[in-house]
Amino acid sequence: MSKGLCKSPALASTHTATSTRKQVPFIPRFPGHRQKMTYLESRPYAMSRGSAVQAVVSPSQGEMGTAHSSGAGTRVMIIGGDGYCGWATALHLSARGYKVAIVDNLVRRTFDLQLGMDTLTPISSIHERVKKWAEVSGNHIDLMVGDICDWDFLEQSMESFRPEAVVHFGEQRSAPYSMIDRTRAVYTQQNNVIGTINVLYAIKEICPDCHLVKLGTMGEYGTPNIDIEEGYITIEHNGRTDTLPYPKQGGSFYHLSKVHDSHNIFFASKAWDIACTDLNQGVVYGVRTEETMADPALINRYDYDGIFGTALNRFVVQAAVGHPLTVYGKGGQTRGFLDIRDTVRCVQIAIDNPANKGEMRVFNQFTEQFSVNDLTKIISTEGAKLGLDVNIVSVPNPRVEKEEHYYNAKCTKLRDLGLEPHLLSDGLIDSLLTFALEHKDRVNMDLIKPAVNWKKSGVVDAMTNAAVSK
């Protein structure tokens, strides 16, 4: 199973347990809705909207999990901490003694409501999640609900928490979503690019020694016919040599928003002497981490639909419910993959080993490479062991991409810093299939097929039918 292994990711109130009741503005901002001023109340306990108490570090801090705790006590703000990668990361760090604050506008949950989708797993509200984590671990996570595109909110959040590291997951993360229509394309670019610029300004003005750990994507590189280096490439041209950012070829408006982020971070790190780590993450799979499985209320989301579901997660659910595995085109599309347990470890490694001031370093964050056809063969074989009759079908590719291509991306830097990856094993596939079988009654069969076509993305609002294939 080692095939494909790579050869070489307005503040609601002040943060005190004795804060008085206070109304502060929160402006929800997402496509299809007019911005409307609402108010969040801060209450004198950790799980209230926009307020939180200081972390309570128990004597057993660092005993949960196996990663080292050399960064214990480091103040880490996780933007997008209610999302798939963000929630798992928040708990992983909190369990190891980091002082964690989650910043999130909860718009990912709004997308589900707009599109008529739902996660395979029944997730709790963010307030219930944070409260349960405090009960289970004895550690409090600060919670601030708001939009980082709202400068006043972000400024006050940074002023209050004073992070030593900011982990930035807080972006619209779906390529298909960005290609639904003009509105969703504009939203994706505006939300992602402006949000990141605001974070850069907040670090410059408020916490200049803060280390930015930004989640990028391997999709920024595209599929070039040469090896993909980690962020930079040395070029000889007309007798001269230079080391330059690796060429980017984003394959959707989402991927291009990440490209713009990288360019903006590269500029800001030099102009303002900011320390930045750009984690170009591959396709993430799995749902279980030690912390998210500690209680049912802590379970992470698991997306299987054609808009937010990643390839392996979608195939696992399709196999569990008896739906053919839907291969886009020829199935030779090759990408880097990693387990959600390695996502959280990579982020911790980046925090514990910060970039130098004035540097934007780039880590390619994945552990193995597989083609789509490789994945279907693995799932078909393992599904048969569980008595599943797994069929594979090729469907017209809704994307504009190469279906057969060279792909060799380097990913040595995180391993050099201590990453010990969880590789895609037979046992892990069995575990994922079993998990999907346990929750298959929650699967909406209408959401499984691809529903967003790159070439048909138009100016007319297509939200109503975006998630359901016709």
Side-chain angles (χ1 to χ4, degrees):
M1 196 57 61
S2 61
K3 178 183 179 182
L5 183 64
C6 68
K7 299 177 181 179
S8 309
L11 174 72
S13 76
T14 55
H15 296 246
T16 60
T18 58
S19 60
T20 57
R21 186 178 295 267
K22 175 183 176 182
Q23 286 191 326
V24 296
F26 164 51
I27 306 176
R29 187 187 56 81
F30 44 83
H33 286 66
R34 292 183 178 178
Q35 293 187 2
K36 179 176 69 173
M37 182 78 75
T38 61
Y39 287 89
L40 305 178
E41 291 185 339
S42 70
R43 305 172 189 273
Y45 54 85
M47 274 57 67
S48 65
R49 288 188 174 188
S51 68
V53 300
Q54 299 297 326
V56 178
V57 181
S58 66
S60 61
Q61 198 72 268
E63 294 179 2
M64 181 181 292
T66 58
H68 65 83
S69 300
S70 64
T74 302
R75 301 178 68 81
V76 181
M77 174 180 286
I78 301 179
I79 301 172
D82 186 45
Y84 175 53
C85 293
W87 176 241
T89 301
L91 297 193
H92 176 86
L93 295 177
S94 177
R96 287 154 182 81
Y98 297 75
K99 169 58 177 168
V100 175
I102 287 176
V103 173
D104 205 300
N105 64 358
L106 310 184
V107 73
R108 176 64 189 86
R109 296 173 183 257
T110 300
F111 293 158
D112 279 349
L113 294 174
Q114 290 177 326
L115 292 162
M117 302 186 308
D118 200 359
T119 165
L120 180 70
T121 49
I123 60 174
S124 302
S125 72
I126 184 59
H127 304 89
E128 292 169 344
R129 282 176 153 186
V130 172
K131 181 177 181 180
K132 178 56 66 175
W133 176 245
E135 295 172 357
V136 169
S137 69
N139 304 328
H140 288 290
I141 292 176
D142 293 358
L143 175 62
M144 291 167 275
V145 176
D147 192 337
I148 64 170
C149 288
D150 174 1
W151 170 252
D152 290 339
F153 164 78
L154 179 60
E155 180 184 40
Q156 293 179 52
S157 299
M158 293 285 286
E159 287 278 9
S160 177
F161 187 71
R162 292 281 172 172
E164 297 166 80
V166 170
V167 180
H168 185 11
F169 292 115
E171 300 194 323
Q172 193 294 101
R173 65 171 179 83
S174 166
Y177 185 90
S178 75
M179 299 302 297
I180 290 174
D181 53 33
R182 186 203 64 83
T183 301
R184 257 45 70 171
V186 170
Y187 169 78
T188 299
Q189 297 255 333
Q190 182 180 45
N191 179 80
N192 295 2
V193 176
I194 293 177
T196 296
I197 291 175
N198 277 352
V199 170
L200 290 168
Y201 267 100
I203 292 174
K204 171 184 178 289
E205 297 294 331
I206 301 166
C207 300
D209 293 327
C210 179
H211 175 211
L212 173 61
V213 179
K214 167 68 166 58
L215 190 73
T217 170
M218 289 297 295
E220 292 183 39
Y221 298 120
T223 53
N225 198 38
I226 59 174
D227 290 357
I228 296 174
E229 305 297 332
E230 297 202 58
Y232 299 90
I233 185 170
T234 299
I235 297 175
E236 294 183 8
H237 181 65
N238 291 342
R240 303 187 69 83
T241 302
D242 201 354
T243 298
L244 303 168
Y246 196 96
K248 304 296 180 68
Q249 304 179 76
S252 71
F253 288 120
Y254 155 73
H255 291 106
L256 289 167
S257 75
K258 293 287 194 176
V259 171
H260 302 327
D261 284 342
S262 294
H263 290 157
N264 289 336
I265 294 170
F266 181 77
F267 166 76
S269 65
K270 293 185 178 300
W272 300 334
D273 204 31
I274 295 174
C276 303
T277 299
D278 198 5
L279 299 175
N280 283 339
Q281 182 167 258
V283 182
V284 184
Y285 59 83
V287 68
R288 301 174 188 267
T289 65
E290 189 170 355
E291 295 77 30
T292 60
M293 299 306 293
D295 187 277
L298 302 176
I299 192 72
N300 206 349
R301 67 180 306 119
Y302 187 113
D303 297 308
Y304 63 90
D305 58 87
I307 293 181
F308 287 97
T310 58
L312 184 55
N313 282 352
R314 286 194 300 109
F315 288 162
V316 165
V317 170
Q318 288 175 345
V321 299
H323 190 285
L325 308 189
T326 51
V327 174
Y328 295 174
K330 297 177 180 179
Q333 301 93 319
T334 301
R335 303 290 187 268
F337 289 80
L338 77 161
D339 190 305
I340 184 67
R341 293 173 294 178
D342 289 333
T343 289
V344 301
R345 288 165 56 83
C346 289
V347 172
Q348 182 186 353
I349 287 171
I351 294 170
D352 291 348
N353 303 275
N356 297 319
K357 288 181 69 65
E359 174 191 15
M360 186 189 90
R361 65 179 181 184
V362 180
F363 295 159
N364 288 346
Q365 184 170 299
F366 70 97
T367 57
E368 298 176 276
Q369 293 179 180
F370 296 100
S371 71
V372 171
N373 289 331
D374 290 335
L375 296 179
T376 59
K377 291 175 184 177
I378 293 169
I379 293 173
S380 179
T381 299
E382 296 308 309
K385 296 178 182 178
L386 296 176
L388 300 175
D389 183 15
V390 181
N391 296 309
I392 302 169
V393 61
S394 174
V395 300
N397 194 342
R399 304 188 178 207
V400 177
E401 62 183 358
K402 296 177 183 177
E403 296 176 5
E404 294 177 319
H405 55 85
Y406 176 82
Y407 195 83
N408 183 43
K410 308 293 181 61
C411 60
T412 61
K413 294 181 180 179
L414 284 163
R415 291 195 184 213
D416 291 344
L417 290 173
L419 175 64
E420 298 176 355
H422 298 83
L423 302 181
L424 187 60
S425 65
D426 295 348
L428 178 58
I429 292 294
D430 288 348
S431 175
L432 286 172
L433 285 168
T434 300
F435 185 86
L437 287 168
E438 292 172 355
H439 294 85
K440 71 176 186 178
D441 59 314
R442 290 177 54 85
V443 174
N444 182 342
M445 300 292 282
D446 290 336
L447 303 180
I448 285 180
K449 298 178 182 179
V452 179
N453 189 300
W454 266 225
K455 292 184 177 181
K456 294 181 179 179
S457 181
V459 298
V460 177
D461 190 316
M463 177 62 76
T464 302
N465 298 322
V468 181
S469 178
K470 298 302 182 183

